[in-house]
Amino acid sequence: MTPSQPALRTVTPVSDLEKRFQQVRAQTEALIQPLSAEDCQLQSMPDASPAKWHLAHLTWFFETFVLERFEPGFTPFNAAFRVLFNSYYHGVGAQFPRPQRGLISRPSLEEVLTYRAQVNERVLKVIASGRREDQDDLARLVTLGLHHEQQHQELLLTDIKHALSFNPQRPAYARRWPLAGIHPQPLRWHGYAGGLTEHGFDTGLDGGFAFDNETPRHRVYVAPFELANRLVTNGEMMAFIADDGYQRPELWLSMGWDWVKADQHRLPLYWQCDNPGNGHYRNFTLQGLVEVDPNTPACHLSYFEADAYARWAGARLPTEFEWEAAARTLPVSGERPGNFLENAAYHPLPLQQPSQGAPAQMLGDAWEWTQSNYNAYPGYKPWDGLVGEYNGKFMCNQFVLRGGSCATPQSHVRASYRNFFPPDAQWQFSGLRLARDA
């Protein structure tokens, strides 16, 4: 990477970087405290990974991209880990097959935690004693590694939730149920004039870090549009279900209808209904099996479900350009009200107050599907070096999500952030906000 790359151009002072490194690494380890070693070994589907693998891979990232480059006399903790915990970096070398990560019973969880502790100590030493001419590149790579770790903090939670959902005892990851009685907020619309707008990462608006897929900043024409004041709720999904929404092909994209028929989808992921006639639903959460609250934002929806619901509601999904244009009316970086990982709710929360002047819940609670394909921005260039494999090669058959979720660290979110998943993905905290033409 070079200093001219805008997404990583702001360098954090060394003392702050050390504190930040320790805080983020400790946060990951805190997330596994409710888990047993057996829990940390579970892999419930090929798209998910065991918690133990997440812990090891995040350490592999710092060992491979930071220590191997900057540590004098570098030697790996265990040479076999280079393959075992490489996710998809072909430039680094071979990878252990992703669908079989749950079969890696050794190293043990204890050894993985020892690996983390040793690499932590070595990285902090490199940060404190690195050569002056290396400080800029070192800070950029460590900062990238920390944002990469925050992505995996959310994945760790969504993956363990998926794994625990298969246990017939419906075990709880967390004990504090965050919901209380809330009066529902009516759906309202906010209008936007559109026009030629600046789109993408901006240091002054978004802070000092962005991934390469958020750049370069460029102009986009946005037609006048309206955006809903809040996320779609569970109660609204119940109405969709009651109106046979999962059984009406006219509401679904062709691929979505094939998806519905192939797996006989009738409910959002984690929902169950013992008696379909009474509309009484429960859903599995990180607090165990609970009643579905009608005023809580719906989540764990695929793109197919989000798009079908929007059609049923006489609206549509926003484009990512519309979403970002609306998000730019919200408070700037550093003032992000919302329900994030740090709240430890681990579940979306209902909108408690009427929105005033701008849409609410745009940051936190649930990722919002957009109708935008995950493509490169005009003039996009991936980062130099091995980390160039981070984002660009996934720009195919994916849709963009915006805004973060209840499992996203607060400091990891910004208006320009682009998440992306294939249209059938459900296990993330993904929901939707309605849009319509003005």
Side-chain angles (χ1 to χ4, degrees), residues 18-31 54-63 112-113 115-121 123-124 145-146 148-150 153:
E18 290 174 293
K19 293 176 185 177
R20 178 79 172 145
F21 179 83
Q22 292 173 312
Q23 185 273 324
V24 172
R25 297 285 282 171
Q27 178 65 55
T28 304
E29 287 154 27
L31 291 175
H54 284 294
L55 292 169
H57 167 70
L58 293 168
T59 303
W60 170 94
F61 190 96
F62 284 106
E63 183 181 50
V112 166
L113 292 174
Y115 176 41
R116 284 181 65 89
Q118 188 194 100
V119 168
N120 286 352
E121 182 179 345
V123 170
L124 288 170
L146 294 177
H148 168 253
E149 181 133 356
Q150 288 183 306
Q153 289 172 355

Side-chain angles (χ1 to χ4, degrees), residues 10-77:
T10 300
V11 176
T12 307
V14 169
S15 58
D16 291 343
L17 188 63
E18 290 174 293
K19 293 176 185 177
R20 178 79 172 145
F21 179 83
Q22 292 173 312
Q23 185 273 324
V24 172
R25 297 285 282 171
Q27 178 65 55
T28 304
E29 287 154 27
L31 291 175
I32 69 160
Q33 290 306 306
L35 303 176
S36 67
E38 292 81 5
D39 291 332
C40 291
Q41 188 64 40
L42 294 174
Q43 182 180 20
S44 51
M45 63 172 174
D47 285 340
S49 297
K52 185 179 76 175
W53 186 91
H54 284 294
L55 292 169
H57 167 70
L58 293 168
T59 303
W60 170 94
F61 190 96
F62 284 106
E63 183 181 50
T64 302
F65 295 118
V66 176
L67 293 183
E68 191 168 314
R69 177 174 172 183
F70 295 105
E71 184 182 50
F74 167 80
T75 56
F77 178 88

Side-chain angles (χ1 to χ4, degrees), residues 185-201:
Q185 296 296 329
L187 183 71
R188 302 185 188 280
W189 295 93
H190 294 276
Y192 297 88
L196 197 61
T197 63
E198 292 288 330
H199 183 78
F201 173 71

Side-chain angles (χ1 to χ4, degrees), residues 90-338:
H90 296 286
V92 173
Q95 308 99 42
F96 188 82
R98 178 174 182 172
Q100 299 175 24
R101 288 171 182 169
L103 300 178
I104 306 175
S105 60
R106 301 180 187 183
S108 66
L109 176 61
E110 182 180 5
E111 187 175 356
V112 166
L113 292 174
T114 300
Y115 176 41
R116 284 181 65 89
Q118 188 194 100
V119 168
N120 286 352
E121 182 179 345
R122 292 164 65 184
V123 170
L124 288 170
K125 184 177 179 180
V126 166
I127 294 173
S129 61
R131 296 180 303 174
R132 183 177 300 275
E133 59 268 29
D134 291 336
Q135 286 300 322
D136 284 355
D137 283 349
L138 172 63
R140 292 186 189 96
L141 280 172
V142 171
T143 300
L144 170 60
L146 294 177
H147 281 273
H148 168 253
E149 181 133 356
Q150 288 183 306
Q151 287 182 316
H152 277 266
Q153 289 172 355
E154 179 159 7
L155 287 169
L156 192 155
L157 287 173
T158 54
D159 290 359
I160 195 63
K161 179 176 182 177
H162 192 264
L164 293 177
S165 73
F166 289 91
N167 189 318
Q169 299 182 78
R170 302 296 192 267
Y173 168 85
R175 296 295 179 184
R176 181 177 69 87
W177 182 235
L179 297 186
I182 297 293
H183 292 294
Q185 296 296 329
L187 183 71
R188 302 185 188 280
W189 295 93
H190 294 276
Y192 297 88
L196 197 61
T197 63
E198 292 288 330
H199 183 78
F201 173 71
D202 180 276
T203 304
L205 298 173
D206 298 307
F209 174 87
F211 291 110
D212 57 3
N213 65 357
E214 301 170 51
T215 64
R217 193 161 173 80
H218 59 288
R219 289 186 174 186
V220 175
Y221 176 76
V222 177
F225 69 99
E226 295 180 332
L227 201 64
N229 63 316
R230 58 163 172 78
L231 298 165
V232 168
T233 65
N234 288 329
E236 289 162 333
M237 282 301 299
M238 291 178 190
F240 173 76
I241 295 165
D243 197 32
D244 295 329
Y246 280 91
Q247 301 170 56
R248 294 168 55 183
E250 73 271 17
L251 297 175
W252 296 80
L253 295 167
S254 178
M255 287 180 62
W257 186 242
D258 291 343
W259 174 81
V260 168
K261 292 191 297 181
D263 294 316
Q264 293 299 300
H265 291 285
R266 292 292 182 268
L267 298 170
L269 181 65
Y270 301 130
W271 284 36
Q272 63 182 56
C273 184
D274 298 330
N275 182 358
N278 64 14
H280 179 246
Y281 299 99
R282 294 184 293 172
N283 69 326
F284 181 75
T285 72
L286 283 167
Q287 291 80 8
L289 191 64
V290 302
E291 302 291 324
V292 174
D293 176 72
N295 301 322
T296 296
C299 67
H300 298 299
L301 301 177
S302 69
Y303 176 85
F304 295 136
E305 290 167 297
D307 179 79
Y309 176 87
R311 293 170 191 268
W312 174 81
R316 59 174 173 80
L317 298 179
T319 69
E320 66 166 316
F321 309 110
E322 292 171 332
W323 190 97
E324 186 171 321
R328 292 301 183 193
T329 67
L330 301 177
V332 299
S333 175
E335 302 173 3
R336 304 182 182 97

